[in-house]
Amino acid sequence: MTINAVKTHRELLADRTPGHGMPGGLFGRQDIFETDVDVFFTKHWILVGVTSDVPEPGDVSTIDIGKSSILLVRDDDEHVQAFRNVCRHRGARLKQAGKSTVGMLVCPYHQWSYDLDGSLKHAAHMGQDFDPKCKSLIPVHTRVIGTHVFVCLGDEPPEDILYLDQVMTQRFAQYDIVHSKIAHESEIIENGNWKLVIENNRECYHCAATHPELTASFLPEDFGFCTDGLGEDSLQALAEYHRRNADTKTNWEREGYICDAVEHLGEDAVTQFRSQRLAIAGNGESQTLDTRVACTRLFGELTRRDLGDVHLWTHNSWTHVMSDHAVVSYIIPLAPDKTLVRTKWLVHADAVEGVDYQVDKLTEVWAATNLQDANLVGITHSGTQDPAYTPGPFSAFTETYVDQFSRWYAARLAAHGV
């Protein structure tokens, strides 16, 4: 009987043919999954929510990430902070996953009680020599950019979060997106590895055949297009698309709206991200089936509806900001073949449901798209675990960002000694 040697994480990375998909072992193995969580969801900055998850002082949002758990807390000074969800006494969880409102954070085991700034305020039966100042909750590195809450669970958070902050603060400020609320949120557990979820999000090769709701407003040509075999009519339509995009961008820039693509995605990037203002098809207003705004109360003091889609990618999230609403999604890996996708639809903080917006219209595009993507990720994960699977080539036209993600993934593991 022949026993095949189990390849290391690095050996599997080295097996990837340039320009091709990753070997199936990188998606299915428990040991590789655990290393991924340690490197990409502990030592890197990740998106874990929005400020409107904790809109008022005393509001708490608890997020579990692998073996770790964090508390997002709005303190009495209106600041959003994050702490490890670990009592400083004997380690009990202070809160279960989800949202709540508290006056203080009280451990359910022995009732050690913490203020909203993390300081220990009450610990019975500890004697006069006990110093509560040494037992505050453990803080988590936190950075709020617009309404996005990023955390790093590692001891030394990557410094290039400053570049993401510099780029996106300007773009979000044009919408006053921090003055928003959650109109709807959803959770989907996709039956696939977290890398497949991100790969799927990084290309629109699949969009025309699988996303009828999304392609009513989204222009997949923005992310690569092959003209081979196109007829004269199709080539003329593509030329018209390029002209429209150029004219729209000129018009936006004339009014001071930031448009250019910023890509911090290379193998030397740590906190990778991409942002650009994209044109919307049809009526050009929003990602809805009729391409008109879903919320008549626009963000901030905006009066113009046709401001396109300001998108943001990170290695665990994607965001689309329109004049009337924003869609923010982020992922948390649960197992080699399970990934939690959380999506939040944001509107102006003063918008009124049933008056300014209807939830069904607000969510119709991305609720459908998320379910479709979950199916695509599930069938792909299953196929990569088949003994017959051999990674195929990426399209040089429509999957360049997937190839880039594969290279970045390998580079970041190498940087951490894997």
Side-chain angles (χ1 to χ4, degrees), residues 60 69 87 133 181 237 252 293 323 368 413:
V60 180
S69 182
C87 182
K133 295 179 181 178
K181 69 177 182 180
W252 283 331
V293 294
S323 63
L413 287 168

Side-chain angles (χ1 to χ4, degrees), residues 315-392:
H315 82 276
N316 88 308
S317 72
W318 53 95
T319 293
H320 298 273
V321 182
M322 284 81 54
S323 63
D324 67 316
H325 77 282
V327 184
V328 180
S329 296
Y330 66 91
I331 68 170
I332 295 176
L334 303 178
D337 61 347
K338 302 287 182 187
T339 305
L340 173 62
V341 178
R342 285 198 173 118
T343 301
K344 302 170 192 290
W345 285 261
L346 308 181
V347 296
H348 192 289
D350 299 330
V352 178
E353 182 180 350
V355 177
D356 299 308
Y357 66 94
Q358 304 290 338
V359 170
D360 288 349
K361 181 173 183 179
L362 190 76
T363 62
E364 60 190 0
V365 167
W366 276 101
T369 301
N370 286 346
L371 289 174
Q372 293 152 2
D373 281 336
N375 177 63
L376 296 174
V377 169
I379 62 175
T380 303
H381 183 96
S382 178
T384 64
Q385 302 310 294
D386 191 302
Y389 168 64
T390 300

Side-chain angles (χ1 to χ4, degrees), residues 129-401:
D129 294 335
F130 176 72
D131 184 3
K133 295 179 181 178
C134 299
K135 292 298 179 182
S136 297
L137 293 179
I138 300 169
V140 174
H141 299 289
T142 308
R143 198 163 196 98
V144 177
I145 302 176
T147 188
H148 292 56
V149 181
F150 291 91
V151 302
C152 179
L153 297 171
D155 294 332
E156 299 181 6
E159 295 181 356
D160 63 346
I161 189 69
L162 296 173
Y163 184 42
L164 173 60
D165 195 342
Q166 173 191 337
V167 171
M168 295 312 302
T169 294
Q170 298 180 70
R171 298 180 183 219
F172 290 148
Q174 296 187 306
Y175 295 82
D176 189 22
I177 195 172
V178 72
H179 192 59
S180 63
K181 69 177 182 180
I182 298 172
H184 184 72
E185 51 190 317
S186 74
E187 291 190 352
I188 297 176
I189 295 179
E190 300 192 4
N191 295 318
N193 186 265
W194 74 274
K195 297 186 290 295
L196 292 174
V197 178
I198 292 300
E199 286 187 354
N200 177 72
N201 185 257
R202 292 289 172 93
E203 50 94 352
C204 218
Y205 191 174
H206 66 280
C207 290
T210 60
H211 293 323
E213 294 84 2
L214 180 63
T215 52
S217 58
F218 190 76
L219 296 165
E221 294 87 351
D222 284 324
F223 293 94
F225 197 81
C226 179
T227 59
D228 293 350
L230 290 183
E232 188 62 30
D233 289 347
S234 295
L235 289 172
Q236 289 180 359
L238 186 60
E240 175 57 33
Y241 152 79
H242 287 302
R243 281 194 295 271
R244 176 188 172 185
N245 263 15
D247 291 344
T248 301
K249 179 181 177 183
T250 298
N251 182 276
W252 283 331
E253 290 180 333
R254 188 180 299 121
E255 294 192 16
Y257 293 103
I258 303 169
C259 297
D260 284 341
V262 173
E263 295 189 346
H264 187 59
L265 298 171
E267 294 171 53
D268 59 340
V270 181
T271 307
Q272 71 157 209
F273 73 95
R274 184 186 194 278
S275 182
Q276 183 181 5
R277 186 182 301 270
L278 303 170
I280 289 175
N283 296 298
E285 293 181 359
S286 196
Q287 289 183 341
T288 56
L289 289 181
D290 64 6
T291 64
R292 296 191 184 279
V293 294
C295 182
T296 55
R297 180 67 167 93
L298 304 185
F299 280 129
E301 299 301 322
L302 295 177
T303 57
R304 182 171 175 175
R305 295 183 173 193
D306 61 333
L307 292 177
D309 163 22
V310 174
H311 91 89
L312 168 67
W313 285 340
T314 72
H315 82 276
N316 88 308
S317 72
W318 53 95
T319 293
H320 298 273
V321 182
M322 284 81 54
S323 63
D324 67 316
H325 77 282
V327 184
V328 180
S329 296
Y330 66 91
I331 68 170
I332 295 176
L334 303 178
D337 61 347
K338 302 287 182 187
T339 305
L340 173 62
V341 178
R342 285 198 173 118
T343 301
K344 302 170 192 290
W345 285 261
L346 308 181
V347 296
H348 192 289
D350 299 330
V352 178
E353 182 180 350
V355 177
D356 299 308
Y357 66 94
Q358 304 290 338
V359 170
D360 288 349
K361 181 173 183 179
L362 190 76
T363 62
E364 60 190 0
V365 167
W366 276 101
T369 301
N370 286 346
L371 289 174
Q372 293 152 2
D373 281 336
N375 177 63
L376 296 174
V377 169
I379 62 175
T380 303
H381 183 96
S382 178
T384 64
Q385 302 310 294
D386 191 302
Y389 168 64
T390 300
F394 293 132
S395 164
F397 299 94
T398 63
E399 293 177 303
T400 56
Y401 289 111

